[in-house]
Amino acid sequence: MSVLVYTESEQGKFKKTAFEVASYAKAVADQLGTTVTAITINANDTSELGNYGVDKVLNVSNTQLDMFNAKGYAEAIQQAAEQEASKIIILSSSANSKYLAPLLAVRLNAGYASNVINAPSSTSPFTVKRTAFTNKAFEMTTINTDVKIVGVSNNSFGLVEKSGDASAEDFSPVISDLGVKVESIDKASNKVSIADAEIVVSGGRGLKGPENWGMVEELASVLGAATACSKPVSDLGWRPHGEHVGQTGKPVAANLYIAIGISGAIQHLAGINASKVKVVINSDADAPFFKAADYGVVGDAFTVVPELIEKLKAFKAQQ
Amino acid sequence: MKILVCISHVPDTTSKINFTEGDTKFDTNGVQFVINPNDEFGLTRAMWFKEKQGAHVTVVNVGGAETEPTLRKALAIGADGAIRVNTAATDGFSVAKQLANVVKNGGYDLVIAGRESIDYNGGMVPGMIAGLIDANFVNNCISLEIDGDTAKAIREIDGGKETLSTSLPLVIGGQKGLVQESDLRIPNMRGIMMARQKPLTILEPVDANNETTSVKFEKPAPKGAVKLVSPDNLDELINLLHNEAKVI
Ligand SMILES: Cc1cc2nc3c(=O)[nH]c(=O)nc-3n(C[C@H](O)[C@H](O)[C@H](O)COP(=O)(O)OP(=O)(O)OC[C@H]3O[C@@H](n4cnc5c(N)ncnc54)[C@H](O)[C@@H]3O)c2cc1C
């Protein structure tokens, strides 16, 4: 009975979260005195997984699964779980993993806890801590079923390196009709996505208009960050919907979140509370965001941001 | 086309979150409940299918009698009928089982649910319904067109979007984008009057165990005060982020 972890890759390369979920799976396996098996789908080189506690890798290479498909991926993971007699399945909180996990739960008749932020506080009963009320609270949840699925929040557990080798074998699941077909993908390939980013630079209505986003993008590019925005900014069409963060937008669990010209409404904060360090740049010293922030600059974004960019460039050049 | 819209009854987005009974229960005192925002986008899209394509729209909630005002609001917005499955919604999987049972018995072609509810954020109900009834499933859906039995959907993915084709029966996990925010409807007096005449059916639940149990809640530890840096001293901000917070 090994712990099974689904390690996500994109175009053959592992995402950083793959190593985080592997680290998490290792922690659970240690608690249970068992091993970790990873399942990978169309990943090129799986040797790195051994460095995060994986003992064995099941490699799926299947052209039917070249593009992500929730049903097909759930079928593959289900068959791996059955072959390995795994009772615990770990995956990430990426949009794709959250898409496939409920389908997998039905197939395995497993209880599923999403947005989990800690290793289990107890394995019997199996109890985990997860975020609830859009990051305004935490919930301790017990999974009662024989088979359990845990979705780990991004950047919550971190990477735990172990030196080790993972053995690898091919795994060929039987995939049925996929039901949903991808016609096209529209994705800026050179941009850091909000979900994967360690740093997110976000702008609000205080930036006055889309023509002023150049400095937000430049700041993001200096920091290797993703760009985001508040809801009115995407509602006004200044930025694409996919960049809107908050309760009704995307969640952000970055190491650093920089909010420029954003007031800090409760619905906005709900989506970014899980970020570790928050910096606020706002001309209004009474903006509610200062109560939620770690660091703040009371000032006009149009003078502070360009200056910050220059100073960061100088800082980066010295590093 | 018969559409079922799943409506979660959730605390208003500005609610202060508190717990009672030794932090084991959500404190509903003074909390206003609303249609889950993700579901509201789905309901509005369903109204479009009703008005433009003659669809019949039923809304459903799993919950006690206290959720009926939320269902009545959905009726006032324009749904044709409502169903309440009479049991407390305590776990995502068991809620999905109740809803799957409603779908099977009602012969719905399209089920619209929200990608997640803003209270427990489980994000599992739509996918589980699809799995239980063996329907096609699109999550994070931001656009949906239906022509006969075929559907074209767009879903949000990390860093972009994806266009998909699929067929009915279909379940979607919807969200903002499915309709424009400005198209969301506030019930008017006529709608409220008409809602009173519309059927609200109460169904008894089928057997469904709780696969997960909520044991206890915690609130985040209070935050320390913000450290303010003068706009004339941005080097200090960089220094703090590098040496103290260690994030750059
Ligand atoms: C059901 C519901 C769901 C919602 N969900 C979300 C959500 O998911 N995400 C979200 O963001 N919002 C959400 N909202 C909206 C939210 O309530 C706020 O309206 C929104 O977050 C405000 O955005 P903002 O801070 O960009 O704009 P504003 O409130 O207009 O604030 C702009 C800020 O910019 C500052 N400013 C102005 N000029 C400058 C300058 N030159 N330099 C520096 N600062 C400047 C101002 O002082 C102000 O603090 C939701 C609302 C509802 C009702």
Side-chain angles (χ1 to χ4, degrees), chain A residues 36-103:
Chain A
V36 178
T37 300
I39 170 168
T40 69
I41 298 178
N42 297 332
N44 297 337
D45 174 10
T46 62
S47 59
E48 244 184 306
L49 291 175
N51 299 337
Y52 298 92
V54 173
D55 299 287
K56 176 168 129 184
V57 186
L58 299 177
N59 284 322
V60 177
S61 28
N62 183 326
T63 50
Q64 263 179 296
L65 303 180
D66 270 348
M67 301 246 211
F68 174 79
N69 177 280
K71 185 172 174 222
Y73 278 46
E75 276 178 347
I77 300 169
Q78 173 204 357
Q79 290 167 43
E82 284 167 357
Q83 175 184 297
E84 300 296 303
S86 297
K87 300 288 187 201
I88 297 178
I89 297 137
I90 313 285
L91 30 71
S92 82
S93 286
S94 70
N96 286 352
S97 282
K98 281 187 161 174
Y99 187 0
L100 76 84
L103 298 175

Side-chain angles (χ1 to χ4, degrees), chain A:
Chain A
M1 195 248 44
S2 96
V3 172
L4 183 72
V5 57
Y6 164 52
T7 45
E8 267 175 86
S9 54
E10 202 169 67
Q11 287 165 345
K13 278 186 64 185
F14 284 115
K15 300 180 102 180
K16 191 190 126 206
T17 55
F19 304 129
E20 185 171 29
V21 289
S23 304
Y24 187 96
K26 173 66 175 164
V28 178
D30 284 348
Q31 281 177 290
L32 294 168
T34 183
T35 56
V36 178
T37 300
I39 170 168
T40 69
I41 298 178
N42 297 332
N44 297 337
D45 174 10
T46 62
S47 59
E48 244 184 306
L49 291 175
N51 299 337
Y52 298 92
V54 173
D55 299 287
K56 176 168 129 184
V57 186
L58 299 177
N59 284 322
V60 177
S61 28
N62 183 326
T63 50
Q64 263 179 296
L65 303 180
D66 270 348
M67 301 246 211
F68 174 79
N69 177 280
K71 185 172 174 222
Y73 278 46
E75 276 178 347
I77 300 169
Q78 173 204 357
Q79 290 167 43
E82 284 167 357
Q83 175 184 297
E84 300 296 303
S86 297
K87 300 288 187 201
I88 297 178
I89 297 137
I90 313 285
L91 30 71
S92 82
S93 286
S94 70
N96 286 352
S97 282
K98 281 187 161 174
Y99 187 0
L100 76 84
L103 298 175
L104 181 64
V106 169
R107 288 173 170 273
L108 293 170
N109 203 11
Y112 165 47
S114 58
N115 306 327
V116 169
I117 55 164
N118 281 160
S121 58
S122 144
T123 53
S124 175
F126 192 92
T127 308
V128 284
K129 184 174 181 173
R130 59 187 298 280
T131 57
F133 296 95
T134 328
N135 292 314
K136 289 186 247 176
F138 303 106
E139 182 192 38
M140 301 301 293
T141 299
T142 295
I143 307 181
N144 309 321
T145 42
D146 186 31
V147 182
K148 302 164 179 67
I149 302 178
V150 177
V152 182
S153 274
N154 286 2
N155 284 329
S156 62
F157 190 75
L159 303 181
V160 184
E161 288 199 51
K162 301 253 154 77
S163 55
D165 282 325
S167 66
E169 56 189 65
D170 291 336
F171 180 65
S172 306
V174 181
I175 305 299
S176 59
D177 175 31
L178 296 176
V180 175
K181 187 168 164 260
V182 177
E183 299 289 346
S184 62
I185 295 180
D186 174 6
K187 187 168 166 169
S189 55
N190 56 345
K191 278 197 79 174
V192 189
S193 82
I194 294 171
D196 294 327
E198 306 213 349
I199 303 181
V200 173
V201 178
S202 190
R205 199 150 49 181
L207 288 171
K208 314 275 192 277
E211 66 281 4
N212 297 324
W213 240 264
M215 64 182 189
V216 176
E217 292 196 320
E218 193 176 356
L219 179 57
S221 124
V222 175
L223 290 166
T227 53
C229 67
S230 68
K231 180 166 169 288
V233 164
S234 72
D235 289 346
L236 289 162
W238 298 355
R239 299 297 292 175
H241 278 303
E243 285 198 5
H244 146 216
V245 301
Q247 186 155 31
T248 49
K250 283 212 163 73
V252 178
N255 285 334
L256 172 60
Y257 183 79
I258 304 181
I260 307 166
I262 301 179
S263 57
I266 192 166
Q267 299 94 347
H268 186 85
L269 296 180
I272 60 103
N273 270 342
S275 295
K276 295 205 175 79
V277 176
K278 294 157 210 126
V279 175
V280 170
I281 301 169
N282 196 306
S283 51
D284 174 9
D286 293 327
F289 218 138
F290 285 112
K291 292 205 176 67
D294 300 283
Y295 303 103
V297 180
V298 178
D300 184 348
F302 296 98
T303 54
V304 173
V305 175
E307 198 180 324
L308 184 59
I309 292 169
E310 292 316 311
K311 290 196 182 291
L312 275 168
K313 279 184 182 161
F315 166 79
K316 291 273 170 188
Q318 277 170 20
Q319 294 296 297

Side-chain angles (χ1 to χ4, degrees), chain B residues 23-131:
Chain B
D23 286 336
T24 58
K25 293 260 163 354
F26 174 63
D27 183 0
T28 55
N29 219 330
V31 170
Q32 168 133 21
F33 281 82
V34 296
I35 299 175
N36 183 42
N38 290 313
D39 305 349
E40 204 180 345
F41 289 108
L43 175 63
T44 311
R45 188 64 191 159
M47 289 300 104
W48 188 92
F49 286 120
K50 174 178 162 159
E51 285 153 17
K52 299 281 196 271
Q53 299 186 349
H56 184 271
V57 178
T58 305
V59 290
V60 61
N61 169 266
V62 178
E66 72 282 0
T67 72
E68 286 187 9
T70 300
L71 284 175
R72 288 274 173 217
K73 185 172 169 201
L75 290 172
I77 286 172
D80 299 297
I83 298 171
R84 178 171 68 82
V85 182
N86 189 25
T87 183
T90 45
D91 150 65
F93 207 155
S94 59
V95 167
K97 286 181 185 170
Q98 300 301 343
L99 293 170
N101 184 54
V102 172
V103 182
K104 274 184 203 150
N105 292 331
Y108 295 94
D109 310 290
L110 173 65
V111 180
I112 301 181
R115 113 189 143 190
E116 68 176 24
S117 65
I118 61 163
D119 50 4
Y120 294 93
N121 312 107
M124 61 183 89
V125 168
M128 285 177 171
I129 299 172

